[in-house]
Amino acid sequence: MYLENGSFKEVYASMKPDVLNFVLIGEKNDIDIHRMVDACNKDGYQIAGGIFPMVLSGNGYSDNGIIIKCLKVSEKPAFTHGLDTKDFEPNLPEGQGMISSIILVDGLTKNIGKFLEGIYDKFWNNVEYLGGGCGSLSLQSTPCVFSNEGLFQDSGLIIPLKQKQRVGIRHGWEKIDGPFIANSVEGTVIKELNWKPSLDVYKEVLQGDGVREEITPDNFFDISKGYPFGVTREGLEDIVRDPIIMNEANELVCVGEVANNTAVNILKGDNDNLIESAGHAAEYAASDSDFQSIIVIDCISRVLYLEDDFRNELARIMEAVRKKNPDVVAEGALTIGEISAYPDGFLEFFNKTIVVSAISE
Amino acid sequence: MSSTVHQIALMYELSLTTGRYESPDEIGRQFLKKLLSRKGINYGAIWVLDSIEDQERTFKRLYALPSIEGKVTLSEKSFRQLFQSPGIVETEGSIFPEIQIDGPFSYIKLRDYGILELHSASLPKNISKTSLGPLVEIFDQLAVSLRAAESYQLLKQEIYERKKAEQLLISNEKKYRGIIDNIHLGLLEVDLNEQIQYANEAFCEIVGYTLEELLGRKASEVLIPEEDEEERERVLDQNRSRKEGKYSVYEAKVRKKDGSQVWMVISGAPNYDDKGELIGSIGIHLDISQQKELSRMQSQFISMTSHELRTPLTAITSNIELLNFHIDKEGHPDKDRLRKSLKRMEENSLRLNNMVANILLINQLDNKKIPFDPEQVDLTRLIRDKVIPTMMDSHKGRRINFSEKGIARAVNIDPKLFIHILTNLVENAFKYSPAESPADVDLVYEEDQVSIAVSDRGIGIPQDQLNNLFENFYRATNVGNVQGSGIGLAIVKEFVDLHKGEIKVKSLLNKGTTFTILLRQ
């Protein structure tokens, strides 16, 4: 269910007992989440969700809308706090009766890779994963993940479902140059590529592709949103890393970590390719027609890159969904990083990617 | 072209993971994670050889994704067949019975360290010989790095343990030095040449030297009064015994810097280095000068008062004798009553006299002033001719049963002290048994010892008090009105000790008591 500028009263009235009320909130909506959590705890409602740059429903998207979905959980969601500290240990659910899961994480915190590794280490690909990074488009870190335990920052939440999911993952970005060795990396900051300052190498490649504008900290994201990095994988699409900031030391700050000495490509987007790949992701997810619900986790930077064409991406998704089930509306969030695993691959934190999940009993 | 560049990039990435981490676990984790991620495969494990027993190899998990607990096994025969030639081994299903996953698997032997296991259901070509072949050198590098990291870790652990032990040693030394410096006991450490290696603050304070003034100097030359040859020899004897690894406690006079002397009780111990080599000795010193002075004053006081008491007692005793003479001679009308009173006076003055004599003896013993002159003595004769007649004379009507066993021979004793011992024991036997009851003295000559037992058939001594019997002024609780001071047995014990003998006591209440003296001869 989608509520445009939904109020506390409307949201609360839409909630149901005996299910988990999965709530996705656009960051401009001023709903009092603490009040909502208190009310749920008082009335015994289960709740979990996050605050995202935007939410989407059908062909539309909004930064003040609210999506509410009812999910069947196999046990209570498990929160892990302190992801920004080095020594945290992932708090994992028991996993009894868990068929799939939704993972929400503070998209601007550190060590997301370690958190996901802990989950994959226990559940491997015996379960399907869907998830994304919460937070604000301003890239200012704020409390953004919530459950009946409260609203938290630097935390990750695992919602264990007893429902099936079929997940399609695509991004459509293509390599224009590489590989380059990211020989000096600190977390999400790429300092050097091929033993040269990372910005120099990046600029050189972009200039070679026809970018004439001088890259400055102010216009960096406007340009970089069209030229992400890609970590190569044999036989699969690259894992995209989105450079979003050029820091004071002229280093490139990405959403998501890059391991030291990783070989990376520089990718470029083509609107048609991107939109088409979103359609492929939705087609894969919806290929089993018995689904009751579609959740879309799409990267906010695709909106910023595609601009008006983004509605076409959503339309392409809806087209694929409706072909299989005309009554279902795709709903979801525009996130800071996307989480899922390829059918025979790792649980990964992607950027600039679209993840579509078809949920069925 | 592009895939070749990517292959080289992957080889570069993987080769770097093997060299950057100090622990095998971390190398394994980084390597496997990167390999699985880049190859798009979802299962991998590094198994480390744990043991080879009964034609079976057991491997333990170094790292696996997803995590797999426990160990896996492989028969020696299968192992040899699978890995007889180097390279990649492809199988359908795992080679380990414990891994229950269907589908294609690939294995790489990591030298003698272990086995790398990979599996992918949906991308089998990514674990094929063709795909993994270019990485064979990298896998070999992984094996070398894992072994090197293991050795490095062991070395690091050893260094850590050693450092920890050293730190503990240093902190313990500091702690004990701190304790030693803060206690009021002097500590002196000397090497095998008696040169002073260390003295704590308390010792320096006692002797009046600074540590710098003492270090390196010969202890006996600085601290023992040179004019006292006997004392010097005694201390040197003690120091020599340290070289034989002996511990001892002794008293010694120590000369201070200002020339005055202090009495110290010294607990000396040999000092060893960390290899167990004797490097000198350590002495803990307690200044007992004050106690010595108090003891001297006490001894002087006891001696003086005892002698002062004896003079009036002698006058009383002689006057009682004179009164007895006059009563008999002058025929006093109430002479029987008067004689009774005089008898009581005589007995009490005699008791007082004995007590004073015993106190003097104890004092002399405390100050080691009792002369001890052992000689070869015919003990049978000494008992028959000296002890028994004296006791029969002083206790009219009492009987002493004397027996002798074994082959009589001369015994090395001080006859004066021994007469004192035996008369005291017989005296007690009479005192604590009925008037008609005799005392038994049984002398036994054995091969390597002589025993003399004195028994009575008297009131006995409670069992729980037997251990206290030889303490000064101790009296058993069942003595009733029987007079006594509790000094006699303490003196007996001291005299037996001077003979390096042993005294034992056995007693049954209302049955009697036996004191046995054992002299090793």
Side-chain angles (χ1 to χ4, degrees):
Chain A
M1 175 186 287
Y2 175 72
L3 298 168
E4 178 64 29
N5 204 10
S7 65
F8 168 76
K9 215 173 166 184
E10 285 174 298
V11 172
Y12 202 68
S14 310
M15 287 191 185
K16 290 181 181 163
D18 305 325
V19 291
L20 181 123
N21 296 281
F22 185 51
V23 183
L24 313 174
I25 302 170
E27 66 168 307
K28 294 285 166 59
N29 188 296
D30 58 1
I31 189 168
D32 185 341
I33 293 169
H34 295 290
R35 186 183 165 201
M36 188 168 69
V37 168
D38 288 346
C40 285
N41 287 338
K42 195 178 159 202
D43 292 342
Y45 284 5
Q46 285 189 80
I47 187 173
I51 301 167
F52 300 90
M54 290 183 182
V55 293
L56 63 88
S57 176
N59 295 350
Y61 56 100
S62 155
D63 58 8
N64 66 7
I66 292 179
I67 302 285
I68 306 165
K69 295 190 90 66
C70 296
L71 300 173
K72 292 176 183 169
V73 289
S74 56
E75 61 188 289
K76 233 169 56 172
F79 245 126
T80 300
H81 301 297
L83 297 190
D84 56 330
T85 59
K86 242 183 169 179
D87 302 322
F88 77 89
E89 284 296 325
N91 173 33
L92 304 173
E94 287 289 314
Q96 196 74 29
M98 169 173 153
I99 294 169
S100 69
S101 72
I102 293 178
I103 300 161
L104 297 181
V105 66
D106 178 344
L108 297 173
T109 192
K110 295 174 185 167
N111 304 311
I112 293 171
K114 185 184 168 189
F115 174 60
L116 298 182
E117 196 183 319
I119 299 169
Y120 187 74
D121 195 40
K122 179 168 179 182
F123 300 112
W124 197 27
N125 48 15
N126 291 325
V127 297
E128 289 284 346
Y129 304 97
L130 168 75
C134 307
S136 165
L137 187 55
S138 69
L139 305 180
Q140 298 298 311
S141 202
T142 52
C144 54
V145 193
F146 59 86
S147 76
N148 290 83
E149 291 179 35
L151 174 65
F152 300 99
Q153 187 177 340
D154 296 314
S155 300
L157 181 69
I158 307 166
I159 305 168
L161 300 183
K162 53 184 179 187
Q163 291 168 296
K164 278 195 287 187
Q165 293 190 71
R166 184 172 171 85
V167 182
I169 313 161
R170 288 286 191 280
H171 56 64
W173 299 89
E174 287 183 349
K175 174 186 163 183
I176 56 163
D177 207 349
F180 302 97
I181 303 293
N183 61 291
S184 176
V185 180
E186 207 174 285
T188 61
V189 182
I190 300 176
K191 296 179 170 183
E192 289 183 11
L193 288 169
N194 282 1
W195 295 270
K196 292 179 201 163
S198 56
L199 184 63
D200 293 354
V201 176
Y202 190 67
K203 269 181 185 174
E204 204 181 310
V205 173
L206 268 56
Q207 279 162 6
D209 196 53
V211 175
R212 295 285 165 258
E213 225 175 328
E214 179 62 25
I215 299 177
T216 65
D218 292 336
N219 69 4
F220 180 79
F221 185 65
D222 285 338
I223 298 169
S224 72
K225 68 185 180 185
Y227 294 97
F229 291 110
V231 180
T232 54
R233 289 181 312 157
E234 204 172 312
L236 295 167
E237 274 191 323
D238 285 9
I239 295 171
V240 181
R241 283 288 170 262
D242 201 1
I244 49 166
I245 295 169
M246 176 183 141
N247 70 13
E248 285 171 0
N250 285 342
E251 297 157 343
L252 308 179
V253 183
C254 298
V255 178
E257 294 149 25
V258 177
N260 236 328
N261 296 305
T262 299
V264 295
N265 296 316
I266 293 178
L267 312 176
K268 186 182 177 182
D270 169 87
N271 286 16
D272 291 343
N273 267 354
L274 262 59
I275 292 165
E276 198 47 37
S277 64
H280 289 320
E283 278 163 7
Y284 179 84
S287 53
D288 288 343
S289 55
D290 65 340
F291 60 88
Q292 288 90 44
S293 170
I294 293 281
I295 297 179
V296 177
I297 299 292
D298 202 345
C299 186
I300 185 65
S301 71
R302 288 173 79 93
V303 182
L304 303 174
Y305 178 73
L306 289 169
E307 297 178 340
D308 291 343
D309 267 350
F310 185 68
R311 284 190 188 279
N312 295 333
E313 176 160 301
L314 295 182
R316 179 72 181 82
I317 293 167
M318 279 307 295
E319 181 195 330
V321 170
R322 287 218 161 112
K323 259 189 205 169
K324 291 288 180 181
N325 191 339
D327 300 330
V328 172
V329 176
E331 292 175 316
L334 296 168
T335 57
I336 302 171
E338 301 73 53
I339 295 167
S340 193
Y342 282 94
D344 205 5
F346 262 126
L347 179 60
E348 302 270 13
F349 188 62
F350 303 105
N351 293 162
K352 280 184 165 3
T353 300
I354 180 162
V355 184
V356 182
S357 172
I359 299 177
S360 57
E361 291 305 317
Chain B
M1 176 66 186
S2 173
S3 68
T4 309
V5 175
H6 279 292
Q7 190 75 266
I8 293 167
L10 177 60
M11 285 165 74
Y12 172 77
E13 276 188 57
L14 288 172
S15 69
L16 284 183
T17 60
T18 62
R20 290 181 67 99
Y21 302 94
E22 291 171 356
S23 81
D25 293 21
E26 191 58 15
I27 289 176
R29 193 180 83 86
Q30 292 290 339
F31 186 92
L32 211 53
K33 214 179 126 188
K34 190 146 273 193
L35 181 69
L36 267 57
S37 174
R38 296 294 178 277
K39 287 276 174 193
I41 53 182
N42 62 353
Y43 170 87
I46 295 173
W47 300 104
V48 185
L49 182 63
D50 191 37
S51 63
I52 307 173
E53 272 173 29
D54 301 329
Q55 293 299 302
E56 188 172 76
R57 285 178 181 242
T58 304
F59 296 87
K60 61 183 180 191
R61 165 189 184 266
L62 176 74
Y63 184 75
L65 202 75
S67 64
I68 295 168
E69 297 305 323
K71 295 181 176 180
V72 291
T73 52
L74 184 64
S75 74
E76 188 63 23
K77 193 179 162 192
S78 302
F79 178 82
R80 288 188 189 287
Q81 276 172 359
L82 287 164
F83 300 107
Q84 58 185 338
S85 51
I88 291 135
V89 176
E90 291 174 327
T91 62
E92 191 58 33
S94 175
I95 60 172
F96 304 117
E98 293 83 0
I99 306 293
Q100 302 287 326
I101 301 171
D102 295 330
F105 277 77
S106 285
Y107 294 90
I108 297 101
K109 184 172 165 255
L110 301 172
R111 297 201 173 191
D112 61 346
Y113 187 81
I115 292 172
L116 171 65
E117 181 181 48
L118 300 168
H119 159 73
S120 176
S122 59
L123 291 170
K125 71 178 176 62
N126 284 8
I127 57 162
S128 66
K129 280 183 181 175
T130 322
S131 176
L132 296 175
L135 302 178
V136 164
E137 290 293 320
I138 304 296
F139 294 138
D140 197 48
Q141 188 184 322
L142 170 69
V144 173
S145 297
L146 288 170
R147 180 64 77 204
E150 189 184 65
S151 307
Y152 177 76
Q153 212 172 39
L154 287 172
L155 187 69
K156 209 169 128 186
Q157 183 65 24
E158 199 182 312
I159 291 168
Y160 170 75
E161 295 291 344
R162 192 171 287 192
K163 274 193 176 163
K164 215 168 99 180
E166 276 171 13
Q167 273 168 358
L168 190 70
L169 204 69
I170 291 166
S171 75
N172 274 348
E173 195 179 337
K174 273 186 188 163
K175 187 170 83 183
Y176 292 125
R177 288 274 187 230
I179 292 168
I180 285 162
D181 281 343
N182 284 301
I183 55 173
H184 294 294
L185 291 174
L187 179 136
L188 186 71
E189 206 177 305
V190 297
D191 67 9
L192 291 170
N193 298 316
E194 274 190 77
Q195 281 181 326
I196 296 170
Q197 301 299 304
Y198 178 74
N200 72 347
E201 280 178 27
F203 187 87
C204 294
E205 211 170 286
I206 295 167
V207 296
Y209 287 99
T210 64
L211 178 61
E212 289 69 31
E213 286 171 331
L214 290 172
L215 287 177
R217 294 179 70 185
K218 207 162 184 178
S220 57
E221 286 175 11
V222 189
L223 301 168
I224 303 174
E226 53 199 17
E227 65 282 0
D228 198 339
E229 272 303 319
E230 197 183 329
E231 185 70 10
R232 177 184 289 272
E233 202 44 48
R234 212 163 58 81
V235 175
L236 289 178
D237 260 358
Q238 289 290 341
N239 287 347
R240 279 191 280 271
S241 73
R242 300 288 163 267
K243 292 179 185 170
E244 294 158 22
K246 288 181 183 165
Y247 297 72
S248 62
V249 179
Y250 61 100
E251 289 178 7
K253 267 188 279 184
V254 171
R255 185 181 57 196
K256 292 168 68 170
K257 188 180 177 183
D258 62 9
S260 61
Q261 292 178 4
V262 280
W263 270 101
M264 298 234 196
V265 61
I266 302 169
S267 172
N271 190 16
Y272 300 95
D273 66 9
D274 55 356
K275 290 172 194 150
E277 301 273 334
L278 183 72
I279 54 167
S281 62
I282 295 176
I284 304 286
H285 297 64
L286 174 66
D287 183 354
I288 53 162
S289 302
Q290 266 190 340
Q291 288 93 316
K292 276 275 178 192
E293 181 56 19
L294 282 173
S295 171
R296 192 193 60 77
M297 285 166 69
Q298 179 194 345
S299 171
Q300 199 175 19
F301 174 75
I302 290 169
S303 176
M304 191 187 75
T305 45
S306 302
H307 284 106
E308 286 303 310
L309 280 169
R310 270 190 154 175
T311 315
L313 268 172
T314 312
I316 291 167
T317 314
S318 45
N319 277 294
I320 288 168
E321 275 176 25
L322 197 62
L323 276 171
N324 269 324
F325 172 77
H326 282 299
I327 287 167
D328 284 344
K329 191 180 171 191
E330 290 164 16
H332 198 280
D334 203 6
K335 68 176 181 184
D336 286 343
R337 200 170 58 83
L338 283 175
R339 198 169 277 148
K340 234 178 189 174
S341 297
L342 283 172
K343 175 83 176 158
R344 276 200 297 273
M345 284 168 72
E346 192 180 7
E347 281 171 0
N348 278 303
S349 53
L350 186 66
R351 203 174 133 233
L352 197 55
N353 202 25
N354 283 338
M355 197 184 290
V356 171
N358 281 339
I359 288 172
L360 271 171
L361 266 177
I362 287 279
N363 193 37
Q364 281 176 306
L365 279 167
D366 279 352
N367 292 293
K368 300 189 172 26
K369 283 182 180 166
I370 289 285
F372 175 62
D373 299 314
E375 58 186 82
Q376 293 295 313
V377 174
D378 180 343
L379 190 53
T380 309
R381 210 163 154 187
L382 182 128
I383 294 169
R384 280 189 198 283
D385 297 353
K386 303 278 183 186
V387 179
I388 293 175
T390 308
M391 295 313 292
M392 299 288 274
D393 192 41
S394 58
H395 295 81
K396 301 283 187 217
R398 301 300 295 260
R399 209 173 71 242
I400 297 173
N401 300 325
F402 176 63
S403 77
E404 179 195 9
K405 281 184 188 166
I407 301 162
R409 60 179 186 270
V411 180
N412 195 39
I413 53 171
D414 181 322
K416 277 187 198 160
L417 298 190
F418 223 80
I419 289 169
H420 185 101
I421 292 168
L422 292 177
T423 52
N424 194 289
L425 292 178
V426 174
E427 173 80 36
N428 281 349
F430 284 155
K431 209 154 72 172
Y432 297 109
S433 54
E436 68 280 6
S437 168
D440 299 336
V441 177
D442 302 306
L443 172 63
V444 182
Y445 292 98
E446 293 173 50
E447 198 178 326
D448 56 351
Q449 70 175 8
V450 176
S451 72
I452 311 106
V454 178
S455 311
D456 65 45
R457 295 164 185 80
I459 57 172
I461 304 158
Q463 287 297 313
D464 60 344
Q465 296 172 23
L466 290 176
N467 287 341
N468 308 100
L469 219 51
F470 298 107
E471 287 172 12
N472 275 336
F473 306 108
Y474 186 85
R475 298 199 74 205
T477 50
N478 62 336
V479 293
N481 293 326
V482 182
Q483 302 284 355
S485 62
I487 302 174
L489 281 176
I491 294 170
V492 165
K493 170 81 168 59
E494 292 283 350
F495 282 6
V496 173
D497 286 348
L498 281 175
H499 285 87
K500 299 199 186 330
E502 196 182 344
I503 182 161
K504 291 179 177 177
V505 57
K506 275 187 186 170
S507 187
L508 278 175
L509 276 177
N510 302 318
K511 293 280 180 192
T513 302
T514 300
F515 287 92
T516 307
I517 297 161
L518 296 168
L519 298 171
R520 308 240 170 253
Q521 297 280 319

